[in-house]
């Protein structure tokens, strides 16, 4: 892999690291050496990635103090509007199938063990919230977000962030209107999440895409039947 390609890869990993660990604006990043060790890259490659992040305003440097997280970037005014009908919900779930099937497949190719462990950790948090009788919508979204972050493309992550309100509403509606018993629905979702997680952990992109597709088609079936 060329130095430029490595720099792009580390750039994406740092963006995902900031999002995954919830680093607030003005929070300090690890040192260049620590980032290099974390992502398996040399310091020159890390510097290249950090230079790009600074140029975009995602990161800024303080003399003698290191690199810090910049203010969040606007989503270029992109909004998707509210969901107006059940057909909108169906269209959203169909769109998620296309988008997240690909993110799952790419996540299966991820070599960053921290990103992969985060997927399993978020899945377990979802399972624990369900077991406690909580709505677990935030935990559900966090699981899917972790998969997008492991996919290594910030535009997947940004698109999901822009659609989070719609995702949240769709999940809530599926749960409220589904004719399936809550216990059975929760069991099916947990099993689907586990299948996605295991396929990603196994490094099998085709199985990961198929598992995500089954999960989101399951959401359609839970709402519309069939």
């Amino acid at each position: 892999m060329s130095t430029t390609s490595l720099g792009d890869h580390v750039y994406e990993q740092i963006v995902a690291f900031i999002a995954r660990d919830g680093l607030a604006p003005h929070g300090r990043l690890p040192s260049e050496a620590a980032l290099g060790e974390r992502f398996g890259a040399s310091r020159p490659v890390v510097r290249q990635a950090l230079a790009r992040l600074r140029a975009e305003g995602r990161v800024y440097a303080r003399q003698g103090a290191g690199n810090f997280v910049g203010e969040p970037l606007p989503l270029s005014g992109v909004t998707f509007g509210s969901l107006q009908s059940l057909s909108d919900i169906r269209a959203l779930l169909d769109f998620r199938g296309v988008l997240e099937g690909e993110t799952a497949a790419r996540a299966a190719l991820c070599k960053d063990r921290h990103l992969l462990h985060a997927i399993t950790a978020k899945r377990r948090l979802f399972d624990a919230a369900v077991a406690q009788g909580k709505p677990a919508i935030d935990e559900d979204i966090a699981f899917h977000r972790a998969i997008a972050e492991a996919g290594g493309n910030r535009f997947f992550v940004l698109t999901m962030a822009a659609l989070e309100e719609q995702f949240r509403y769709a999940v809530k509606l599926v749960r409220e209107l589904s004719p399936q018993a809550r216990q059975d629905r929760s069991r099916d979702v947990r099993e689907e999440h586990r299948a996605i997680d295991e396929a990603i952990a196994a490094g099998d992109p085709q199985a990961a895409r198929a598992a995500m597709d089954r999960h989101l088609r399951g959401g359609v079936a839970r709402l519309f039947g069939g």
Side-chain angles (χ1 to χ4, degrees), residues 145-209:
R145 185 188 304 122
I147 294 169
E149 289 165 359
N153 186 318
R154 68 188 178 94
F155 292 101
F156 285 134
V157 179
L158 289 170
T159 300
M160 291 186 67
L163 279 165
E164 185 169 314
E165 179 183 346
Q166 288 81 0
F167 288 177
R168 188 181 303 276
Y169 180 76
V171 170
K172 185 173 181 292
L173 198 65
V174 167
R175 294 181 182 186
E176 289 178 351
L177 299 183
S178 174
Q180 189 180 25
R182 179 181 180 275
Q183 183 176 358
D184 293 342
R185 185 175 66 249
S186 297
R187 178 204 62 219
D188 289 350
V189 171
R190 290 197 304 272
E191 290 177 354
E192 290 161 8
H193 279 185
R194 178 180 293 277
I196 296 166
D197 186 13
E198 290 178 348
I200 291 172
D204 189 334
Q206 291 184 342
R209 182 184 285 109

Side-chain angles (χ1 to χ4, degrees), residues 61-204:
R62 289 180 184 167
Q63 186 67 33
N67 292 285
F68 296 80
V69 179
E71 293 290 341
L73 295 176
L75 292 174
S76 302
V78 175
T79 59
F80 291 89
S82 60
L83 300 171
Q84 302 292 328
S85 64
L86 286 176
S87 63
D88 276 356
I89 300 290
R90 185 188 287 273
L92 174 64
L93 292 172
D94 180 59
F95 175 72
R96 286 187 63 183
V98 176
L99 174 70
E100 297 194 59
E102 184 61 26
T103 64
R106 295 189 181 205
L109 300 174
C110 178
K111 303 302 182 185
D112 186 328
R113 60 186 179 86
H114 298 283
L115 292 173
L116 296 175
H117 289 171
I119 294 171
T120 300
K122 298 300 184 184
R123 176 178 63 78
R124 289 174 175 167
L125 286 174
F126 172 81
D127 289 351
V130 169
Q132 294 168 18
K134 297 180 179 178
I137 294 178
D138 288 336
E139 290 81 0
D140 194 354
I141 290 173
F143 171 71
H144 287 267
R145 185 188 304 122
I147 294 169
E149 289 165 359
N153 186 318
R154 68 188 178 94
F155 292 101
F156 285 134
V157 179
L158 289 170
T159 300
M160 291 186 67
L163 279 165
E164 185 169 314
E165 179 183 346
Q166 288 81 0
F167 288 177
R168 188 181 303 276
Y169 180 76
V171 170
K172 185 173 181 292
L173 198 65
V174 167
R175 294 181 182 186
E176 289 178 351
L177 299 183
S178 174
Q180 189 180 25
R182 179 181 180 275
Q183 183 176 358
D184 293 342
R185 185 175 66 249
S186 297
R187 178 204 62 219
D188 289 350
V189 171
R190 290 197 304 272
E191 290 177 354
E192 290 161 8
H193 279 185
R194 178 180 293 277
I196 296 166
D197 186 13
E198 290 178 348
I200 291 172
D204 189 334

